[in-house]
Amino acid sequence: MNAIESLMEKKGAFDYILLETTGLADPGNLAPLFWVDEGLGSTIYLDGIVTLVDAKNILRSLDDPNGKVEKDQDHDSHGPLMTTAHVQISHADVVVINKADLVTAEQLEDVKARIQAINGLAKIHVTEQSEVPQLEGVLLDLHAYDQVENLDATEKGHSHLDPVRCSL
């Protein structure tokens, strides 16, 4: 947040700031910062969270027992732990499935079904070689948080578990 605030002070207004969060286990912790940080809340508009997945490897990542998110005080003690991939998909407003040319049509359908089981609200776009047909409405201008002021922050949300992981 300090880096973004500093950038805003030095450079002024921007059309867009895209935060690439590869390696960030829980992008859900980032979004609320734009609403609670008074400096950013007044100058930056959070448009949405986009998650990029690799069509060829995402199912392996979802099933990887070594990719589990560490248990912490906020995690319920029942049920399976989610992998980092689960968490990233569950927080996405848009999921871009890339490298579709490297999988069969059947494998691609399996990937889509698995993603929809984790996050049925996210828009899914399928790409090859990272080519997005257009930015507006696909990756930009999502308006996913336009109604954030109507959210009840006192209620604890929940994540949808991947039915494949729950049956293991």
Side-chain angles (χ1 to χ4, degrees):
M1 287 293 110
N2 290 338
I4 295 172
E5 287 174 338
S6 176
L7 186 64
M8 295 298 290
E9 288 173 8
K10 291 179 183 176
K11 299 286 184 179
F14 291 88
D15 291 332
Y16 292 97
I17 297 173
L18 298 175
L19 297 178
E20 197 284 322
T21 59
T22 299
L24 182 63
D26 187 353
N29 290 332
L30 186 62
L33 293 176
F34 289 96
W35 302 313
V36 298
D37 184 290
E38 290 185 25
L40 289 180
S42 62
T43 59
I44 293 182
Y45 166 77
L46 180 61
D47 190 39
I49 297 173
V50 178
T51 297
L52 177 70
V53 300
D54 179 325
K56 187 172 181 177
N57 296 303
I58 188 60
L59 296 181
R60 188 174 323 128
S61 295
L62 290 169
D63 295 332
D64 182 8
N66 296 320
K68 288 184 177 175
V69 174
E70 292 297 318
K71 194 182 257 191
D72 61 21
Q73 305 89 333
D74 295 330
H75 181 69
D76 297 329
S77 59
H78 64 280
L81 291 178
M82 294 188 292
T83 66
T84 299
H86 283 91
V87 174
Q88 291 175 343
I89 291 169
S90 72
H91 285 88
D93 300 301
V94 172
V95 176
V96 177
I97 303 172
N98 192 36
K99 301 183 184 178
D101 53 314
L102 301 180
V103 297
T104 66
E106 183 178 317
Q107 290 170 321
L108 183 59
E109 288 307 311
D110 289 346
V111 168
K112 286 182 188 177
R114 192 80 178 270
I115 290 169
Q116 288 173 333
I118 296 167
N119 184 345
L121 297 176
K123 294 178 184 171
I124 296 177
H125 298 285
V126 178
T127 64
E128 296 179 7
Q129 300 180 352
S130 302
E131 291 184 22
V132 178
Q134 66 183 41
L135 292 177
E136 290 78 18
V138 176
L139 300 181
L140 302 176
D141 299 327
L142 302 175
H143 303 283
Y145 298 96
D146 284 358
Q147 301 300 317
V148 75
E149 64 274 0
N150 297 331
L151 294 177
D152 183 358
T154 61
E155 290 185 27
K156 184 174 181 173
H158 69 282
S159 296
H160 295 279
L161 292 178
D162 180 356
V164 173
R165 295 287 298 166
C166 291
S167 65
L168 295 177

